[in-house]
Amino acid sequence: MILEKVIRKITIQKEYKDFVDTYVDNILTEFKDKIHSIYMCGSIPKGTATPFKSDADFTIVCEDPHDIDYERLSKIKDKLLEEYPVVTKIDTIICSLDDILSKPNEWGFWVKIICVCVYGQDIGEQVPPIIISPTFIVDLNTDTKEEIDRIHHSLSNASDHTMQMRYIKGYSKRLLRALYSLVLEDTGVWEDDMVKMKNAILDYCKIDPALVDYLYACYLGSHIDVEEFLRVADEVYRYFENALHAMVTFRNSLS
């Protein structure tokens, strides 16, 4: 099975059009010819964003990510959040052209399948079709442990309640995405709707359903005990790690 693009048509609501245009203009003005292309993913390009609740997710592609000064990028973000309170948070990922073309099952997947191009030439069109297979799923999770460790550390050291809840939401979403990747051969599609993602995990993963429901409730946000969440998160990650290891073993047995 070949993975299809998550967002096939950009449908930015009127509340966000000026914000997206201004973000792109600011990035191009600040970094000039260093930018190859800019992408979005999530609810804003899908046309399903909720004003004053939804985040903005951008990806910048350039020759060398070191050309993009994070401090200058952060100033652009802070200014735009003041000017456009309709957006709650702005996340920006930076990657290189080489990342995308040399790692089609990782960065190539991200740009080709998850994102849509809002400026420049869409480099995702140069990524070969992505075929769902154990090899793809293993490659897709190359950086999962590093990401999980980073979020775990940040949450463990956060003392501010607002930041704790933000980390818990992000941690829950990342774990649900990791679990969902395990069932791609069953679903045949990458799903970014969290309800559908959760239901597919419940249908196909042999994990305790209560753990999945707990993670989803944490993703939605409520009064959550950090220690309890970390305990459950560790249990879920152990399941994921064991399942991925079994997939690696099976893949190696075929080679």
Side-chain angles (χ1 to χ4, degrees):
M1 289 178 288
I2 296 177
L3 269 179
E4 300 292 338
K5 203 168 186 67
V6 171
I7 305 171
R8 303 196 182 180
K9 180 182 178 183
I10 302 176
T11 311
I12 299 175
Q13 297 139 280
K14 65 181 188 315
E15 294 94 336
Y16 297 94
K17 285 184 181 295
D18 188 55
F19 159 73
V20 173
D21 290 342
T22 304
Y23 176 93
V24 171
D25 288 344
N26 274 251
I27 294 297
L28 297 179
T29 299
E30 186 68 35
F31 301 107
K32 299 182 174 64
D33 57 352
K34 295 180 173 62
I35 305 299
H36 173 273
S37 44
I38 301 174
Y39 303 78
M40 291 195 77
C41 65
S43 61
I44 291 180
K46 284 178 70 177
T48 60
T50 302
F52 306 102
K53 290 186 178 180
S54 294
D55 301 343
D57 299 292
F58 292 93
T59 295
I60 294 173
V61 176
C62 53
E63 287 285 350
D64 184 357
H66 292 99
D67 288 338
I68 309 301
D69 185 283
Y70 280 85
E71 185 174 344
R72 288 154 65 190
L73 186 63
S74 181
K75 288 181 179 178
I76 291 173
K77 179 196 72 173
D78 292 342
K79 184 181 75 170
L80 291 179
L81 286 174
E82 287 184 10
E83 294 177 7
Y84 298 94
V86 68
V87 178
T88 59
K89 185 161 68 83
I90 301 172
D91 287 327
T92 301
I93 295 171
I94 303 171
C95 64
S96 71
L97 289 165
D98 183 64
D99 284 334
I100 295 164
L101 298 177
S102 66
K103 301 175 181 177
N105 286 349
E106 300 166 54
W107 283 108
F109 158 79
W110 178 255
V111 170
K112 184 180 184 70
I113 304 300
I114 303 297
C115 297
V116 289
C117 187
V118 294
Y119 167 80
Q121 181 182 3
D122 187 357
I123 191 67
E125 294 179 355
Q126 296 183 37
V127 177
I130 295 177
I131 300 172
I132 300 172
S133 67
T135 295
F136 164 67
I137 295 168
V138 171
D139 287 348
L140 181 61
N141 285 289
T142 298
D143 297 328
T144 297
K145 184 179 189 308
E146 181 182 341
E147 292 178 30
I148 292 297
D149 287 346
R150 176 180 56 78
I151 303 173
H152 190 291
H153 176 77
S154 297
L155 175 57
S156 299
N157 290 278
S159 56
D160 178 77
H161 177 74
T162 300
M163 290 305 299
Q164 286 177 341
M165 293 305 102
R166 179 172 292 182
Y167 284 131
I168 285 175
K169 180 182 176 72
Y171 200 165
S172 302
K173 184 176 183 179
R174 189 65 188 86
L175 286 171
L176 288 168
R177 284 185 60 201
L179 290 175
Y180 183 77
S181 72
L182 299 175
V183 303
L184 274 174
E185 289 186 291
D186 298 296
T187 66
V189 297
W190 183 265
E191 186 59 72
D192 69 344
D193 181 291
M194 295 304 293
V195 175
K196 293 179 180 178
M197 186 179 286
K198 178 200 70 169
N199 290 338
I201 295 168
L202 293 173
D203 286 341
Y204 298 110
C205 261
K206 296 178 181 178
I207 189 173
D208 182 350
L211 297 176
V212 179
D213 287 333
Y214 177 84
L215 278 184
Y216 182 69
C218 291
Y219 164 74
L220 294 178
S222 59
H223 295 290
I224 303 158
D225 180 78
V226 174
E227 288 188 10
E228 180 185 11
F229 173 81
L230 288 172
R231 179 184 59 76
V232 172
D234 287 345
E235 185 175 352
V236 170
Y237 185 73
R238 281 194 299 272
Y239 169 89
F240 165 78
E241 198 169 41
N242 290 336
L244 193 66
H245 178 72
M247 198 173 288
V248 171
T249 302
F250 175 73
R251 181 191 65 176
N252 292 342
S253 70
L254 299 177
S255 57

